[in-house]
Amino acid sequence: MLRYHGDEFVTLARKHGWASSPHGHVRRAVAMSLVGRPLENTLKLVLQLAAAHEPGDRAGLEAFGAAVRGSEEALWPELVLAEGKQATEWSRRFVDIAWRLHPRAATSAWRARALEPRLDVEERRRALDALAFTPGRAAAEAVVAAHLAGPEDLAAYARWWLEQRNTNEWAEYALLDELPGGRADLAQATELWRSAPIGSGVVTVDVVLEEAARLWLVVDSEGSNGYDWADWIEPRLEVDGELVGLASLPWNAAEAGWGGVYVDRNAANSGPLTIEGRELSGIGTHAPSAIVWDLPRGATRFLARAGIDDGGARQPGARPLVHFAVLAELAEVDALAPHMAAFEGGSAQERADAIRALATDARGGMWLVRRASTDAFDTADAELAAEHIFGNPDPAVRALASGVFERPGEEQLPSIEELLALDGDPERGRELFLSTRTQCARCHTFELDGFRRGGALGPDLTMVREKFGRDGLFDAILNPSAAIAFGYETWMIEDDTGRLFTGFVLADGDLVVLKDTQGERHAIPADSIVYRQSQALSTMPTGIATGLAPEELADLVAFLHADPATEPAYGPWQDLFNGEDLAGWEAFSPEGEADWRVAAGALVTSGMPLGYLRTTRRFTDFQLELEWRFDATKGPGNSGVLLRVHGEDRVWPKSIEAQLHHRDAGDIWNIGEFSMETTPERTEGRRTRRRAPSSELPLGEWNRYRITLDRGTLVLEVNGVEQNRAGWCEAVPGWIALQAEGAEIQFRSIRLREPLGARVEGR
């Protein structure tokens, strides 16, 4: 009946209550009958199926998932209502269903289960599994919270998921770089020792670690090597005069260029550590590699030997050459301590000097805000602090200072009615959003055409236009503390050492995880906190508005309010090549006169000397169409179309290249570190590979490129097939250029159209 009479089957299922059948095969049949049907027509049956699900019935669970595919988000509130329990008290039946569907809306519930120590470890691991397959940054942040503040038996598993997702779905978030001991911290570490490049044998390591809080063991390749298996042999710490095996201590993070990082096993995990035929103990990895530990108190020395493992060095063709290095995070000398002491007990002049020094430092400014909240200022001191603190480099300090100091000579902000009368430019607003002046992108994420820019400190503003009109957006910018979004309340925390932290609380338990306004996470033991207070003010300063002219505020709101999916209205097509001569074009080659000519109505170059032919006019936004082919008798070759070319003429100038290399048309090449975003999984260095198989025609036939460069979005179509996209492309006027890159190539039918009202750029 299901196969041949689907509609009748659904009718009978409703009539006879088959969705609540005690027999799993009957419920599965009902579920499969609902596949592809709108949820509004099947909701009652779906809820009956959910209520009758038997824990552990994987086949039934998959059938249920198929029945509601595409409707998970809409269904979730109905399922939660029917369950009627807190996430940490879900029934086994409901855990199954939630795990199978993992909608974005379930993120907070899975997070609560992952961090609930009363739940069995397997249940908490399952919660992490669900988060790992839930789309969106919130799920990724929840796994970070589990790693930093979750029960100890879950931290390593959460870290494993972060490492797995760091190369695919979560790559754009760069979460590993933000963790304590991540790449961001490594860049600030001090190198204590580095070996010469070695290709065989071992080197001895003996490093003093005075005042070190964190230790990195790093291995780097020199040149291009394929078999850089590296071993740290018997790594030890001297702690309070005794030697402790470093491999026995849990590391914060470990990464290898290939394979993995293993104790007493090589990088491939295929055998013991072996150097020159001798089996050894220690840590095996593969360059480039970085392993980081938080050092125990009293650690004063690091000792080890290091060498290249036989597993790589003895492979055919192997020529390994690596450096071993030891880096550490050294305890900083607190340059602010004398100023803090002078504020507390110095003379009037010393106190005034201290206020000036503290007010202009990010950490010092936060310290003054904390002191001002305890009435530690008299009127003169408060006025002096106000003169300087509103120029503090940290916008969070400036924002919170507004609650305790009176801003001197505050400008009168324009009224919303006045601002609404201004016509803003969305493109200029986009530039402001990304600028260091406003620092919007440091806290807020915005997505354009599938590409995200910005930080995750504040709410995602991608769809803010659907929540607010222009008047609401102006009000939110001018009065950011009026309605702080739930989950973005600012907290100030002080620990028993006097350190101050300000930001958003990500996890609250034995460890409080706080993310500050610089994006750094801090895991603070709850029992060390001596002061904790929610702040009434937003960390987005009202002063952001006073730093912008009314016209600039209008531009920013125009950007936030515009629908990026709206295609521009284009003007008429204009020919860039007349088919007769090089009018409107000029050639460049660093080697002398370039070889560009017109033959049979086509532009032709032999490809030598290297260079390009560029338009005499500059363009910003446009649709460009052209045809190209390689001479079948001379074979395929290489070339490209350079877009928004600017800066000095050179091989090759700063630009975006739409690739024309044979069988690679549709690839994107970033030349000169052009500011743009591409798809991470298809990007290798400067190249972003096309998304579909080559759509080029056989060698010698004419191919057609359509290139759309609209504001920040680039789209490449080859013979009608969309092959690539990029986002957030820097909107700078530039030339369009055709490359001479070593092979004969022909171009024809080159035409372009611009959006109506586009500014004309000259030479």
Side-chain angles (χ1 to χ4, degrees):
M1 284 189 67
L2 173 59
R3 183 171 299 166
Y4 298 108
H5 305 284
D7 290 339
E8 186 178 350
F9 186 95
V10 173
T11 300
L12 290 172
R14 289 194 178 98
K15 180 178 179 180
H16 297 294
W18 290 346
S20 300
S21 169
H23 303 295
H25 66 281
V26 175
R27 295 194 305 273
R28 290 195 292 273
V30 174
M32 295 309 297
S33 75
L34 304 182
V35 173
R37 299 176 185 270
L39 182 64
E40 58 266 25
N41 298 340
T42 63
L43 179 60
K44 185 175 180 179
L45 287 173
V46 167
L47 293 177
Q48 289 172 349
L49 287 169
H53 170 70
E54 296 176 5
D57 178 9
R58 285 297 301 272
L61 198 60
E62 289 304 313
F64 182 83
V68 300
R69 185 176 294 119
S71 301
E72 293 88 351
E73 299 293 343
L75 175 62
W76 181 248
E78 301 288 346
L79 291 172
V80 171
L81 183 64
E83 174 70 1
K85 296 179 181 178
Q86 296 292 327
T88 54
E89 300 171 352
W90 284 347
S91 63
R92 288 185 60 206
R93 171 192 60 78
F94 193 75
V95 169
D96 270 6
I97 292 170
W99 178 85
R100 174 60 181 80
L101 302 184
H102 51 265
R104 288 176 185 259
T107 298
S108 60
W110 284 122
R111 183 178 184 275
R113 289 184 66 82
L115 297 178
E116 177 50 68
R118 293 175 299 173
L119 289 178
D120 179 84
V121 65
E122 289 305 317
E123 287 298 314
R124 288 184 275 114
R125 287 170 68 96
R126 196 175 189 191
L128 282 181
D129 293 342
L131 288 168
F133 289 99
T134 299
R137 179 160 190 147
E141 292 281 0
V143 178
V144 173
H147 170 58
L148 293 178
E152 196 170 315
D153 56 6
L154 203 65
Y157 189 57
R159 175 77 192 208
W160 181 85
W161 266 125
L162 291 172
E163 291 171 349
Q164 298 304 306
R165 283 287 181 258
N166 191 54
T167 58
N168 41 68
E169 284 87 348
W170 295 349
E172 63 180 296
Y173 308 142
L175 294 171
L176 291 180
D177 292 348
E178 296 180 0
L179 296 180
R183 282 287 178 182
D185 287 347
L186 176 57
Q188 305 301 319
T190 300
E191 185 173 287
L192 302 181
W193 173 86
R194 173 175 288 270
S195 74
I198 67 170
S200 61
V202 296
V203 292
T204 300
V205 189
D206 188 345
V207 180
V208 175
L209 300 175
E210 297 291 350
E211 304 298 326
R214 191 172 286 153
L215 175 74
W216 280 268
L217 301 185
V218 174
V219 187
D220 295 317
S221 296
E222 181 169 297
S224 177
N225 303 296
Y227 306 104
D228 302 338
W229 299 28
D231 298 337
W232 293 95
I233 305 304
E234 297 180 352
R236 292 157 291 157
L237 293 173
E238 187 175 295
V239 182
D240 294 328
E242 297 184 3
L243 292 178
V244 176
L246 185 62
S248 67
L249 302 178
W251 53 60
N252 286 7
E255 58 184 63
W258 177 87
V261 179
Y262 303 101
V263 175
D264 292 338
R265 304 284 289 179
N266 61 34
N269 196 23
S270 60
L273 305 182
T274 308
I275 297 179
E276 297 181 340
R278 294 181 57 201
E279 291 188 9
L280 302 162
S281 64
I283 299 172
T285 185
H286 188 292
S289 171
I291 317 169
V292 59
W293 288 263
D294 284 330
L295 289 174
R297 290 185 179 181
T300 58
R301 190 178 177 195
F302 170 70
L303 303 102
R305 289 178 296 149
I308 297 173
D309 194 277
D310 290 350
R314 293 189 175 181
Q315 294 190 38
R319 293 184 300 277
L321 200 61
V322 303
H323 297 266
F324 291 88
V326 178
L327 294 86
E329 178 184 305
L330 303 180
E332 296 182 3
V333 176
D334 190 352
L336 297 179
H339 299 303
M340 294 175 180
F343 177 88
E344 300 288 2
S347 65
Q349 184 59 51
E350 290 171 337
R351 184 178 172 97
D353 292 341
I355 289 172
R356 293 187 187 94
L358 292 166
T360 53
D361 178 86
R363 187 167 63 89
M366 197 60 68
W367 187 84
L368 288 178
V369 170
R370 168 78 174 100
R371 298 296 292 146
S373 67
T374 62
D375 298 323
F377 283 80
D378 59 27
T379 301
D381 287 343
E383 290 177 352
L384 178 60
E387 286 181 23
H388 300 280
I389 202 165
F390 291 106
N392 193 283
D394 189 338
V397 172
R398 302 197 300 270
L400 297 179
S402 299
V404 291
F405 298 114
E406 184 174 344
R407 188 188 297 270
E410 185 162 14
E411 299 176 27
Q412 182 64 41
L413 298 175
S415 69
I416 292 178
E417 289 72 22
E418 291 174 301
L419 292 170
L420 287 171
L422 300 175
D423 292 326
D425 183 322
E427 189 53 44
R428 289 198 298 263
R430 183 178 77 97
E431 294 170 2
L432 281 168
F433 180 84
L434 297 175
S435 73
T436 56
R437 288 182 59 202
T438 65
Q439 300 195 51
C440 299
R442 193 177 75 174
C443 293
H444 299 284
T445 297
F446 200 96
E447 180 176 319
L448 284 175
D449 201 25
F451 297 96
R452 290 180 176 271
R453 274 277 179 96
L457 297 175
D460 186 329
L461 297 182
T462 304
M463 304 304 293
V464 71
R465 66 181 179 279
E466 295 187 358
K467 183 177 181 181
F468 296 114
R470 290 180 67 233
D471 55 346
L473 288 171
F474 280 123
D475 183 57
I477 293 173
L478 298 175
N479 305 293
S481 297
I484 300 174
F486 176 74
Y488 293 97
E489 304 90 346
T490 303
W491 288 82
M492 182 179 287
I493 293 176
E494 184 177 1
D495 69 9
D496 52 14
T497 68
R499 293 185 304 166
L500 283 170
F501 307 91
T502 302
F504 309 121
V505 172
L506 303 180
D508 199 348
D510 292 339
L511 279 176
V512 176
V513 179
L514 178 141
K515 190 172 185 178
D516 66 23
T517 53
Q518 307 302 311
E520 185 176 352
R521 289 176 174 81
H522 304 275
I524 311 161
D527 58 10
S528 73
I529 295 175
V530 298
Y531 172 81
R532 173 175 174 169
Q533 182 65 48
S534 177
Q535 305 298 295
L537 294 176
S538 166
T539 50
M540 172 179 162
T542 55
I544 191 175
T546 62
L548 298 177
E551 293 77 12
E552 291 177 310
L553 285 170
D555 292 340
L556 186 57
V557 166
F559 165 69
L560 296 173
H561 195 254
D563 183 354
T566 302
E567 293 189 7
Y570 285 103
W573 288 100
Q574 49 188 299
D575 291 328
L576 296 184
F577 170 53
N578 61 22
E580 298 177 356
D581 55 37
L582 300 183
W585 297 83
E586 55 188 13
F588 168 78
S589 173
E591 301 178 30
E593 186 173 348
D595 175 30
W596 288 91
R597 60 192 184 280
V598 178
L603 275 174
V604 183
T605 177
S606 65
M608 295 300 292
L610 296 180
Y612 46 86
L613 185 71
R614 63 172 169 83
T615 57
T616 55
R617 262 195 62 197
R618 293 183 292 176
F619 304 89
T620 303
D621 299 327
F622 52 83
Q623 267 193 347
L624 171 69
E625 289 187 349
L626 59 82
E627 294 182 356
W628 88 93
R629 71 177 179 183
F630 292 102
D631 189 327
T633 63
K634 298 182 179 179
N638 194 12
S639 183
V641 183
L642 306 184
L643 313 167
R644 290 183 180 168
V645 179
H646 61 285
E648 65 175 302
D649 282 318
R650 56 185 299 176
V651 173
W652 302 104
K654 188 171 184 178
S655 58
I656 305 170
E657 178 184 351
Q659 178 65 272
L660 286 178
H661 183 272
H662 183 60
R663 310 305 292 173
D664 290 326
D667 286 3
I668 296 172
W669 281 80
N670 185 316
I671 302 177
E673 298 184 352
F674 199 103
S675 180
M676 61 193 296
E677 298 291 333
T678 56
T679 305
E681 55 266 29
R682 289 190 282 108
T683 299
E684 302 168 356
R686 298 188 298 115
R687 179 187 188 183
T688 302
R689 295 181 181 275
R690 63 181 188 275
R691 70 195 332 178
S694 174
S695 53
E696 295 175 49
L697 300 177
L699 188 64
E701 295 188 23
W702 286 101
N703 297 278
R704 175 170 291 273
Y705 233 146
R706 169 172 278 202
I707 299 170
T708 303
L709 196 45
D710 173 28
R711 293 160 289 184
T713 301
L714 170 68
V715 182
L716 301 184
E717 299 171 73
V718 179
N719 294 319
V721 177
E722 183 178 311
Q723 288 286 10
N724 230 328
R725 280 180 178 257
W728 295 96
C729 302
E730 182 183 358
V732 57
W735 296 285
I736 296 170
L738 309 175
Q739 285 182 300
E741 201 170 358
E744 179 168 311
I745 188 171
Q746 304 171 22
F747 297 92
R748 72 178 187 185
S749 302
I750 307 171
R751 63 177 190 163
L752 173 146
R753 59 179 181 170
E754 296 177 274
L756 291 173
R759 294 187 294 271
V760 176
E761 301 287 347
R763 295 172 65 89

